[in-house]
Amino acid sequence: MAKAKSYYFCSECGYQSSSWLGRCPECGKFGTMQEEVIQASKPSKTAKGNATTGVSKPKPIHEVSTSETQRIPTQCAEFDRVLGGGIVPGSLLLLGGEPGIGKSTLLLQTALAIPGKRVLYVSGEESEQQIKMRADRINNGGETDCYVVSETVTQRILECVDEVKPDLLIVDSIQTICTEAIDSSAGSISQIRECTAEFQRFAKESGIPVLLVGHITKEGSLAGPKVMEHIVDCVLQFEGDRNYGYRMLRSLKNRFGSTAEIGIFEMQGDGLREVENPSEFLLSQRDENLSGCAIAATLEGARPMFIEVQSLVSTAVYGTPQRNANGFDFRRLSMLLAVLEKRCGFKLGAKDVFLNIAGGIRVNDPAIDLAVACAILSSNVDIPIPPRYCFAAEMGLSGEVRPVSRVEHRIAEADRLGFEKIFVSKYNARSLNKKRFGLEIVEVSVIEQAFRELFA
Ligand code: TYD
Ligand code: MG
């Protein structure tokens, strides 16, 4: 028997070295090299076949046929939107997310719902009985052509594929899968890298798309080396606050579509439900006439999303005022507070400031800034903002109100939802045809102007 060899792998980039190094020469990170025992056994049949089969010949690009790359629609509009219109044959997708967020539920639900396609759902985490129990819970009642197996070795998974001949392979999760070609334990960097590469080879050669589930580390990145994200065609992330029902599916990388789109779901007792119109949903529980609330007209991808920003400003009890932000970047909050303090003369230095985005939603759109600033000001002076007002503008360091992208889109949606006034930047309003809209468009260029308009 061959002597067990150990190698060192960088947990960040997957760099391999035969000796321990304090700093990875590839990515420059310190203290990331981890030892792994590897025993290269005889190359398996599949590995050998892959190296020699499929002799590729270059051909002119116009001769490459795209007719066979018909996307497989998932029957779930939100999922398809994020994918860019369905699953591309031969692609390798990675779905990441925190434990318990609903990755397995989303994929099993998808597997059960795809019409006329055979799906093989491989789980390394749950037994077949547990998968069946989950499927009963989701209970879509329709005809399904879904096979399940509890398996952790790639070679045996590929044998199952030969037997079942599915149109889609789902593997939950990559961290529990191992290959016989390498002797280290499942979940180690070398295993993850090798298994991902094996699935990629399989997908490209057979044309069967593979959906992998990946775990997330406590820092929030996908567990495993970065090379895994380079290998796969799409990286999707499932996120949300576990205390709320909402879940968002984002795409961090997509070779076949836009990464700006998001899908919104709600976790219910019988699986995930698609949320088509998030604004109406998020605003429905709004209580009128409370100070510290403002509505932001944000865009996620091409879709407008109106969300409520809540803020509480109170006198600081301790010497150092407290600041807390839920669903909003903490450093951005500090910056906005500094702007309000320095440029506009609001004395927030001796106040505690708490900020919350309703519904447990996290927003990346900078157009939320003005709503955040106005919510803080409203709580500070204890005067409510009328419930039919909304805001769409970014704020600059000198207190100027800056334009945002696709403002007509936001205004049109505000109009549709029945808002009376929308606050936008003066520079956005210039090119607008205001007669098109039924609501009043308030142009502001600096934050004091908005303050006077609202609270004076
Ligand atoms: P799961 O898909 O197991 O999460 P992951 O695979 O990302 O770890 O989701 C588990 C959570 O979802 C669990 O807390 C229970 C909840 N859930 C529902 O609320 N309704 C359902 O129909 C299902 C199947 C799960
Ligand atoms: Mg799971």
Side-chain angles (χ1 to χ4, degrees):
M1 202 181 123
K3 194 170 157 276
K5 257 188 167 175
S6 78
Y7 283 101
Y8 295 83
F9 289 91
C10 172
S11 58
E12 282 292 318
C13 67
Y15 179 80
Q16 182 181 347
S17 159
S18 55
S19 59
W20 186 82
L21 300 164
R23 178 172 189 246
C24 171
E26 184 81 14
C27 65
K29 289 257 162 61
F30 286 92
T32 55
M33 301 301 282
Q34 290 167 4
E35 183 176 11
E36 277 178 22
V37 179
I38 291 194
Q39 190 180 66
S41 46
K42 282 183 280 167
S44 63
K45 263 191 218 133
T46 43
K48 214 184 210 167
N50 286 334
T52 52
T53 52
V55 186
S56 317
K57 251 198 202 152
K59 50 182 149 181
I61 191 161
H62 60 266
E63 276 177 26
V64 180
S65 134
T66 49
S67 58
E68 69 257 45
T69 58
Q70 277 288 328
R71 289 181 186 242
I72 304 173
T74 60
Q75 219 38 21
C76 166
E78 298 293 303
F79 200 0
D80 279 347
R81 183 204 305 277
V82 178
L83 291 170
I87 301 171
V88 174
S91 62
L92 182 64
L93 295 96
L94 179 65
L95 174 69
E98 280 182 32
I101 206 77
K103 302 179 292 296
S104 310
T105 309
L106 177 68
L107 294 186
L108 186 62
Q109 199 167 333
T110 308
L112 295 174
I114 294 186
K117 300 280 178 204
R118 181 170 290 184
V119 184
L120 177 60
Y121 184 99
V122 181
S123 182
E125 296 183 349
E126 291 162 302
S127 69
E128 282 117 14
Q129 287 82 1
Q130 285 169 320
I131 304 171
K132 180 68 173 51
M133 277 162 64
R134 191 194 292 268
D136 286 342
R137 226 176 137 180
I138 296 167
N139 179 38
N140 70 342
E143 275 288 294
T144 60
D145 196 5
C146 177
Y147 285 71
V148 292
V149 62
S150 180
E151 185 53 78
T152 54
V153 180
T154 52
Q155 281 75 17
R156 262 177 271 147
I157 292 173
L158 297 183
E159 278 167 25
C160 294
V161 169
D162 275 345
E163 204 182 306
V164 175
K165 303 210 169 19
D167 298 303
L168 171 66
L169 174 65
I170 296 176
V171 180
D172 186 4
S173 63
I174 189 72
Q175 277 82 8
T176 56
I177 305 293
C178 56
T179 167
E180 282 168 354
I182 292 183
D183 216 19
S184 59
S185 60
S188 65
I189 293 151
S190 50
Q191 277 290 2
I192 292 177
R193 194 170 61 167
E194 187 55 32
C195 292
T196 312
E198 273 181 29
F199 283 120
Q200 193 223 16
R201 254 178 322 217
F202 163 75
K204 294 287 172 282
E205 277 167 17
S206 65
I208 299 171
V210 182
L211 252 162
L212 302 172
V213 170
H215 291 171
I216 262 183
T217 62
K218 62 177 186 294
E219 290 84 29
S221 61
L222 277 157
K226 264 271 181 256
V227 279
M228 183 161 80
E229 288 174 49
H230 290 300
I231 294 175
V232 300
D233 297 307
C234 294
V235 181
L236 307 175
Q237 183 146 329
F238 208 32
E239 58 187 38
D241 194 321
R242 238 178 305 167
N243 302 324
Y244 293 92
Y246 302 107
R247 302 284 184 270
M248 290 210 237
L249 184 67
R250 285 178 199 275
S251 112
L252 307 181
K253 162 181 173 179
N254 191 349
R255 287 190 179 144
F256 319 110
S258 150
T259 52
E261 293 295 344
I262 67 163
I264 302 174
F265 298 87
E266 193 190 359
M267 182 63 94
Q268 294 185 332
D270 54 353
L272 289 157
R273 189 183 69 85
E274 298 171 48
V275 179
E276 274 161 38
N277 201 333
S279 316
E280 280 168 9
F281 209 101
L282 289 170
L283 299 178
S284 60
Q285 317 124 334
R286 185 163 146 75
D287 235 328
E288 297 189 9
N289 290 329
L290 290 177
S291 71
C293 292
I295 293 177
T298 67
L299 277 183
E300 282 289 351
R303 189 157 50 163
M305 204 159 87
F306 281 58
I307 49 173
E308 186 177 330
V309 180
Q310 300 169 336
S311 152
L312 176 67
V313 178
S314 65
T315 311
V317 184
Y318 303 106
T320 319
Q322 292 188 65
R323 271 106 179 73
N324 198 0
N326 259 333
F328 187 72
D329 184 19
F330 184 77
R331 272 168 296 179
R332 187 126 192 116
L333 173 65
S334 308
M335 187 214 93
L336 288 178
L337 288 176
V339 170
L340 294 182
E341 171 110 42
K342 170 112 181 177
R343 306 281 177 188
C344 313
F346 306 111
K347 292 275 168 266
L348 291 162
K351 305 269 190 175
D352 290 341
V353 179
F354 304 97
L355 189 78
N356 187 28
I357 307 293
I361 293 226
R362 186 171 65 81
V363 202
N364 295 332
D365 189 355
I368 195 176
D369 282 2
L370 187 59
V372 169
C374 290
I376 292 169
L377 294 175
S378 162
S379 180
N380 192 40
V381 296
D382 202 16
I383 299 175
I385 296 171
R388 299 269 127 216
Y389 286 17
C390 62
F391 305 85
E394 192 182 335
M395 274 187 52
L397 281 179
S398 45
E400 81 272 24
V401 176
R402 299 173 56 176
V404 290
S405 64
R406 307 183 50 198
V407 75
E408 298 92 347
H409 211 69
R410 302 172 199 258
I411 298 175
E413 178 73 5
D415 205 7
R416 201 182 68 75
L417 289 173
F419 282 93
E420 287 162 12
K421 269 191 196 182
I422 183 164
F423 287 70
V424 297
S425 163
K426 193 174 91 186
Y427 306 100
N428 254 147
R430 269 184 195 163
S431 54
L432 274 180
N433 177 10
K434 282 178 215 152
K435 295 203 185 73
R436 263 186 60 206
F437 307 106
L439 81 172
E440 189 184 336
I441 300 169
V442 185
E443 305 166 24
V444 286
S445 54
V446 284
I447 181 70
E448 297 109 300
Q449 231 178 316
F451 181 76
R452 262 182 270 123
E453 182 81 24
L454 288 166
F455 310 115

